Every structure is written in C-alpha cells, then in structure tokens.
Amino acid sequence: MAWKLRTQCVVLVMVLLGCISLGQVVGEPKVPCYFIFGDSLVDNGNNNNLVTLAKSNFSPYGIDFHSGPTGRFTNGRTMADITAELLGFNNYIPPFATASGQNILFGVNYASAAAGIRDESGQNLGARISLDGQLKNHQTTIVNIFKIFGNIETTTKYLNKCLYSVGLGSNDYINNYYMPNFFTTSRQYTPEQYATVLIQQYSQQIKTLYNYGARKVALSGLGPIGCIPFEIATQGTNGAPCVDKINVAVQFFNKKLISLVDELNSNFTDAKFIYLNLYDISTQVFANALSFGFKVVNKACCGLGQNNAQITCLPLSIPCEKRNEYAFWDAYHLTESAYLIAAARSYSAQSPTDTYPLDIQHLVQL
C-alpha cells in the first residue's frame, strides 16, 4: 500500500531549523530512486515475517504513524522516511519483503533489525538479514529492474542516478562485541582492532554495492551507542551521562569510516561517497536538549525497569504521553522528533561537522 507523505510537517521542522525552504521539497524527486541498507534504525517491515525477537509490527510501535504499526522501530517515521520526504518522493520507500512490480523503480528498503556488518551479529535475537544478505536482495531487485527496462545500459544508467544510504555497525557492537556471553569478538580484539576488522569487511561490501551501479552513496556513522537507555541501564555510567567505554569504541569505528570515505572517493572518481556524522549530531542534541525541545534524553518513552530500558517496549505497553519531549522511543531507538533533526542535518548540514565532504542535498545534485 502506498503511504502518502506528510511533507508540510517536515517542511515546518526544516524551516524552524533553518535547514530547507518549501521550494526544495516539492515537485519531482531529486533522484529517481532511493535504496536503503541498514538495521532497525531504518527497517520498515522486513523482519515482520522472520522468526526473531527483533520485530515491531505491534502496538504501541507506530502510535504516531498514520497507518499504525508497520515494522518501524519508533513511534512514527524513521530517518529514512523523512529523507524520502526531503528528496521529494510521493510515497515512502517500500521494504524488500513487499516491494513488487514497477514500484521497485522508486527504490527499495532492505534494512533488517538486528542486522550487522558481520553475519553473526544479532543472531542472539533470531533471524535477520545481514548486510551481505541485503546485498543479495539488491541483486534480485537489479534483475527485476533489468526485466522492466529490457536493456543493460539503460538499467545501469538508471541505477547510477539513484541515492544509496548505508548504515550498519550498531549491532556489531550492541549485539556482538558487548555481549561476551554470546560472542567471542571482545576476547579476540581490542576495540580499535575490532573497528579495523569491521571497516575492512564493510569496505568490501560497499565496493560490491559500487559494482552493482551505486554512484551516490551516503554512509551513516554510528551514533553514541553508550548513550542509549539500554546501555546506561545495564552497563552503568559511573556518574557520567553515558557509557564512555562504548562511545570510545564507536569513535574508533567512525574515524576509520571517514578514512574509508576518503579512500573510496580517491579510488572511484566516477562516484561520490559521503559520511553522515550521526555521532556529533546526537551528542549536540543530548547536550543541549532543551534548545531542541527535549526534556528527557536518558530514558525510553516505552519500556520497563531502570531508565524504562531494561525491558524494551512490549506489545500493548503504555508509552509516555509527551513523546515529542523524549529523544528515545524505546531502549535502543530514537523518537520521530529526534529522527527529524538527524535527517534534517544530514540532508542540509547546519554545521561543518554534520556531514563530510558533502551533505545529501548536494550529493544528489551531482
């Protein structure tokens, strides 16, 4: 089913943030298609029919989404949904699980909750589609697009014009490295060594995407995982706002990802890769919560236990009433209000550190 976008709402937020004008979000889409690779931060239904604990197609998830629970891990729209609005699409990008027919020409969302760069990441929660699996699904989409066009050259030129967003790595930490009872990686590698191993594998996966025709690629850095309510509740902070050791580890990954962006841009001059600095955007919001409209940044809106995060949002749970005042929806995921800020600043950078070397708005103009 097609989901009509709430463009006016997004425009209002963008204007308030000084990010974008009305004229930039109406008319034809800035790109013909938008392909999304990721985890639960952007999953919109690919895990619904998998045997896994990592699913959210039940209330109160989607409480503020116009069609209710869909498999999105938040109260409303995800960052990918909002980005689609900013790009000018008339409908949200469908999940691979249900995408079919001519609709795939506008793009496909392959994201799967609990997925990681490494295949084993998230296996403690059940089935999920790792990045390698998502790339295989993209191959299927490419074959189907070729069948529509009936010509390799036309298909390739079309795919070259699309926007590709890739954002994985969180589960390689949350549901791998920092779960020593399930995984051995924390005993095999120091945090910096682990970041190196992850980036080496990520590099090959992104090069595979390039070989499939991707020429405009936005790579999301990891957010401050040590600040999510689950880690605060289970790891402890020793009086600090967040779990510092986790954030240090995450920053090893992000620094190496920036270096990878430089390497990719140097080696593939017919393409452009950018880095979205979700770490700095998030920490700025947390540090200046009230100025961004948030009153609570360390507790979940929906959940149980310490910080409402020891047990995440369960079916028929009663969430907080003032969801726009919370940065986190559940133990792991942001609210729509927080995603609005992240999407706005990734699309149109408000600080020199928000994106590198370009923001999405300029990337899609190339």
Side-chain angles (χ1 to χ4, degrees):
M1 117 181 223
W3 296 313
K4 301 305 290 180
L5 305 185
R6 290 174 285 174
T7 304
Q8 290 180 330
C9 176
V10 175
V11 170
L12 176 60
V13 173
M14 298 307 106
V15 170
L16 290 174
L17 291 173
C19 295
I20 191 168
S21 67
L22 177 61
Q24 290 175 290
V25 295
V26 296
E28 290 297 312
K30 307 297 186 296
V31 287
C33 37
Y34 177 27
F35 293 104
I36 302 154
F37 301 80
D39 51 32
S40 57
L41 299 181
V42 289
D43 187 352
N44 63 345
N46 285 309
N47 276 27
N48 289 355
N49 294 319
L50 300 184
V51 180
T52 178
L53 295 174
K55 60 176 60 181
S56 61
N57 55 336
F58 54 82
S59 295
Y61 285 92
I63 189 172
D64 298 311
F65 194 70
H66 71 276
S67 56
T70 57
R72 289 166 168 82
F73 287 75
T74 185
N75 59 306
R77 292 163 292 169
T78 68
M79 184 171 169
D81 294 327
I82 299 161
T83 300
E85 295 181 1
L86 293 171
L87 289 168
F89 285 95
N90 290 323
N91 299 289
Y92 297 125
I93 305 303
F96 177 78
T98 60
S100 62
Q102 298 273 336
N103 285 338
I104 65 173
L105 293 177
F106 297 103
V108 176
N109 185 333
Y110 304 99
S112 172
I117 294 168
R118 294 172 68 94
D119 285 344
E120 83 274 10
S121 294
Q123 67 183 10
N124 51 301
L125 296 173
R128 69 260 167 251
I129 308 165
S130 68
L131 181 52
D132 283 340
Q134 292 178 37
L135 289 169
K136 289 179 182 177
N137 287 341
H138 186 52
Q139 276 187 301
T140 300
T141 298
I142 293 172
V143 169
N144 289 330
I145 290 175
F146 168 74
K147 289 178 181 177
I148 292 171
F149 287 134
N151 180 284
I152 292 177
E153 183 178 356
T154 303
T155 300
T156 301
K157 287 182 177 179
Y158 190 79
L159 293 171
N160 290 168
K161 298 175 182 177
C162 304
L163 174 65
Y164 299 76
S165 70
V166 188
L168 290 101
S170 294
N171 287 301
D172 296 290
Y173 287 93
I174 298 171
N175 288 302
N176 191 323
Y177 194 77
Y178 287 106
M179 279 202 163
N181 292 335
F182 287 92
F183 303 97
T184 62
T185 47
S186 62
R187 294 187 290 277
Q188 291 177 276
Y189 308 107
T190 65
E192 186 165 14
Q193 289 171 340
Y194 188 58
T196 298
V197 169
L198 286 178
I199 292 295
Q200 286 173 343
Q201 183 170 349
Y202 209 19
S203 173
Q204 295 306 309
Q205 292 163 328
I206 294 164
K207 289 172 184 176
T208 295
L209 188 59
Y210 170 86
N211 290 334
Y212 291 165
R215 295 297 182 269
K216 301 177 182 182
V217 184
L219 300 172
S220 295
L222 300 183
I225 294 173
C227 298
I228 66 174
F230 174 80
E231 298 298 350
I232 292 174
T234 58
Q235 299 272 352
T237 65
N238 294 319
C242 304
V243 184
D244 290 338
K245 68 175 183 179
I246 297 179
N247 284 344
V248 168
V250 164
Q251 289 181 84
F252 283 134
F253 177 91
N254 286 341
K255 289 176 182 176
K256 294 178 188 295
L257 183 56
I258 294 171
S259 296
L260 176 59
V261 165
D262 285 332
E263 176 191 322
L264 292 168
N265 283 326
S266 176
N267 292 340
F268 303 108
T269 55
D270 62 335
K272 195 68 176 181
F273 299 83
I274 68 169
Y275 170 77
L276 308 180
N277 191 355
L278 301 185
Y279 189 98
D280 279 7
I281 293 172
S282 297
T283 53
Q284 288 172 25
V285 170
F286 299 156
N288 303 281
L290 289 177
S291 65
F292 286 96
F294 297 111
K295 293 184 178 179
V296 184
V297 297
N298 62 349
K299 296 180 181 179
C301 172
C302 184
L304 298 171
Q306 186 177 341
N307 296 80
N308 295 337
Q310 287 176 301
I311 299 176
T312 195
C313 195
L314 298 173
L316 304 179
S317 296
I318 300 176
C320 64
E321 291 185 3
K322 298 180 179 180
R323 292 177 286 279
N324 62 319
E325 295 181 355
Y326 279 70
F328 285 94
W329 161 249
D330 64 13
Y332 306 93
H333 308 100
L334 297 173
T335 56
E336 178 185 86
S337 295
Y339 283 132
L340 275 167
I341 297 169
R345 292 177 62 167
S346 295
Y347 186 82
S348 181
Q350 292 301 291
S351 163
T353 63
D354 283 353
T355 63
Y356 172 83
L358 302 171
D359 55 24
I360 293 174
Q361 181 177 222
H362 290 92
L363 173 65
V364 298
Q365 292 174 4
L366 297 176

